[in-house]
Amino acid sequence: MAATHILFFAVVLHFFFLWPHAASATGLHPVVLLPGATCSQVEARLTDAYLPPSPQCAATAPRRGTGARWFRLWKNSTALDDPTVAPCVADQLSVVFDRVASDYRDKRGVETRLLDFGSTRGFLADDPADRDLCMGRLVEALERVGYRDGETLFGAPYDFRQPPAATEQPCRSFSLFRRRLRELVERASRINGDRPVVLVSHSQGGYFALEFLNRSPREWCRRHVKHFVMASTGAGGFVGSMRFLATRDDDGSPLGRVGRSSAIKFTPLPSPKVFDRHTPLVITRHKNYTAQDMPEFMAAVGLPASEVTLYKTRALPVAMSFRAPVVPTTCINGAGVPTTEKLVYWNGDFGKNPQVVYGDGDGVVNSASILALDTVIGDDPKQEYYKSVKIAGASHVGVVSDGAALERVVAVILQDKFA
Ligand SMILES: *[C@@H]1O[C@H](CO)[C@@H](O)[C@H](O)[C@H]1NC(C)=O
Ligand SMILES: *[C@@H]1O[C@H](CO)[C@@H](O)[C@H](O)[C@H]1NC(C)=O
């Protein structure tokens, strides 16, 4: 009897005290991943207040009000592949700017939530094509060296439709994300013997991670974040994003609609902090536009004044405050891939395809924006450890998905020495 008791206690002790530290016995620091835009999975539920934009959408929309259930709004391939349903997804996924609350929100009658916050499942859609784009290859590579989802490996999906706004502007979505990420980092660290985490972001995830760090107390970051690894995010956006603004006709596609309705079209715009006033990015016969001329460019392509105001008040201040996170940081970027450097709309017809002048970059982000990381982060005296890894021939997505580049990223994540 006594022996069974001892055995019982041994088992209990093992599970309650030893198991949570089992991961730390592997010597791994917990890793938290923030994927790029469109990777996070969004669930939705419709209320009676939802007004379908067409009779067809009324007929195909999931049940509203009483008895409504949560369904996969993004990314729902069945719905996207059905031409009668895709425009309805576009409608439900778009956001509106609420002037009273001074913030973006879901459309009336649509409630959304992120799937599986804390797990990498929250951004690994069923679509195999998304595995490269959404850190699926990185997750596989980390699992090969011993990482386990929910134990040592975690995912921080975010509402990609609602990027961080200037600090003084209401942004409920990002405030919620900050709280959840803070709790996730603390939990990941706690169950791994108080080891600080390695935060790894890709593309748009970099803006969320950087703003999260820069708005968290120094002491908290020092204690909880061992290393910030930012892949494929420049210090000042990229020129190619101006092309989306110029194309004014709504193609009705869900992402086109989301881009138009939300502030994500502003986040990657070339920042005046990086692109100077002497470098024309858009060229027309009568007028050239530099990064400083963004409001004029927006007006020229037909964006309403209210949108220009949102850019100036909510997005531009975030771009201008892009700064060193102070925690040990490694930036990893592709190089040597032809990247849109200038757009020529010679006759000023922004509805037409521009002539594109290519330069160096990762195929999306210009090298000017990537090199600026070295000055904006690297040269900041408060930044004690900063390293930049540039991988020749690696593309924007290839950095987190292609063989050799992926190996470099994993090596940086596993790195222990910061000298
Ligand atoms: C995909 O979207 C359709 C139409 O909106 C919906 O009926 C279906 O339940 C969704 N699929 C999932 C898995 O939620
Ligand atoms: C616009 O920029 C191009 C290329 O830098 C230059 O040749 C041209 O003179 C500029 N045009 C105007 C109207 O400033």
Side-chain angles (χ1 to χ4, degrees):
M1 202 54 182
T4 356
H5 261 96
I6 289 165
L7 183 65
F8 176 74
F9 274 108
V11 170
V12 168
L13 270 172
H14 179 76
F15 275 96
F16 282 86
F17 296 99
L18 304 178
W19 179 76
H21 299 284
S24 65
T26 62
L28 298 173
H29 283 265
V31 167
V32 178
L33 303 178
L34 282 83
T38 78
C39 289
S40 303
Q41 302 293 294
V42 181
E43 288 190 307
R45 189 165 65 177
L46 304 179
T47 72
D48 284 322
Y50 180 63
L51 286 178
S54 70
Q56 211 153 32
C57 290
T60 57
R63 188 163 171 170
R64 277 170 270 166
T66 331
R69 60 181 176 84
W70 289 98
F71 62 96
R72 185 78 65 100
L73 178 60
W74 186 262
K75 191 181 174 183
N76 180 332
S77 311
T78 325
L80 292 173
D81 290 345
D82 184 338
T84 61
V85 182
C88 318
V89 174
D91 183 64
Q92 292 156 14
L93 197 60
S94 58
V95 294
V96 292
F97 187 73
D98 183 331
R99 306 222 158 264
V100 178
S102 226
D103 197 0
Y104 288 89
R105 60 164 170 76
D106 288 317
K107 284 203 81 154
R108 193 165 301 288
V110 182
E111 293 172 359
T112 58
R113 66 180 186 192
L114 295 168
L115 184 74
D116 273 332
F117 189 88
S119 165
T120 57
R121 284 189 308 274
F123 47 80
L124 294 182
D126 310 332
D127 192 343
D130 286 342
R131 293 196 79 76
D132 284 2
L133 180 67
C134 298
M135 289 181 150
R137 303 288 165 222
L138 180 58
V139 168
E140 289 163 14
L142 289 171
E143 285 175 347
R144 279 199 293 276
V145 296
Y147 275 97
R148 293 293 168 261
D149 190 62
E151 294 175 20
T152 43
L153 182 59
F154 304 86
Y158 53 84
D159 188 339
F160 57 85
R161 306 169 304 166
Q162 306 207 41
T167 39
E168 73 280 7
Q169 296 284 331
C171 189
R172 273 182 52 225
S173 174
F174 185 63
S175 303
L176 174 67
F177 174 77
R178 280 177 59 202
R179 201 184 71 222
R180 297 180 89 184
L181 182 53
R182 189 179 65 233
E183 288 167 3
L184 176 63
V185 166
E186 288 173 359
R187 178 165 64 86
S189 171
R190 193 169 57 244
I191 65 174
N192 283 282
D194 285 333
R195 284 165 183 262
V197 310
V198 181
L199 210 54
V200 185
S201 68
H202 180 238
S203 194
Q204 192 197 21
Y207 295 103
F208 282 74
L210 189 68
E211 284 303 310
F212 167 78
L213 291 170
N214 281 340
R215 296 184 198 189
S216 298
R218 255 319 126 64
E219 259 324 298
W220 186 91
C221 293
R222 223 185 288 278
R223 171 147 177 234
H224 292 95
V225 182
K226 177 192 176 234
H227 194 182
F228 172 36
V229 181
M230 186 168 76
S232 301
T233 305
F238 53 90
V239 177
S241 64
M242 295 176 81
R243 193 170 171 173
F244 178 78
L245 284 193
T247 322
R248 291 304 300 146
D249 56 304
D250 185 350
D251 61 357
S253 74
L255 284 182
R257 188 72 65 80
V258 167
R260 279 177 214 302
S261 72
S262 78
I264 47 173
K265 58 183 175 295
F266 299 138
T267 307
L269 289 174
S271 157
K273 186 166 182 154
V274 166
F275 293 87
D276 64 49
R277 58 177 68 251
H278 308 294
T279 311
L281 306 177
V282 168
I283 295 170
T284 73
R285 188 202 302 272
H286 298 296
K287 182 165 170 47
N288 289 342
Y289 301 87
T290 69
Q292 335 277 324
D293 305 321
M294 210 55 77
E296 290 78 7
F297 175 69
M298 289 176 181
V301 301
L303 273 186
S306 58
E307 289 280 340
V308 180
T309 303
L310 288 174
Y311 163 74
K312 286 194 207 159
T313 56
R314 291 178 74 90
L316 187 57
V318 177
M320 296 308 283
S321 72
F322 192 105
R323 64 185 188 279
V326 183
V327 298
T329 298
T330 301
C331 294
I332 309 183
N333 290 88
V337 181
T339 304
T340 300
E341 196 162 275
K342 291 182 197 302
L343 298 165
V344 184
Y345 295 92
W346 191 243
N347 293 317
D349 185 350
F350 296 110
K352 292 243 171 67
N353 280 337
Q355 187 196 328
V356 177
V357 178
Y358 290 93
D360 191 14
D362 71 1
V364 175
V365 182
N366 308 94
S367 63
S369 191
I370 293 168
L371 290 171
L373 293 163
D374 299 351
T375 44
V376 174
I377 301 182
D379 292 350
D380 189 318
K382 289 193 292 301
Q383 182 69 34
E384 280 166 25
Y385 177 90
Y386 166 77
K387 194 165 177 209
S388 163
V389 176
K390 292 166 187 95
I391 307 178
S395 70
H396 191 70
V397 172
V399 165
V400 291
S401 61
D402 284 354
L406 190 54
E407 267 172 44
R408 284 292 290 281
V409 174
V410 172
V412 167
I413 292 173
L414 296 176
Q415 162 191 340
D416 250 332
K417 301 263 176 296
F418 293 95

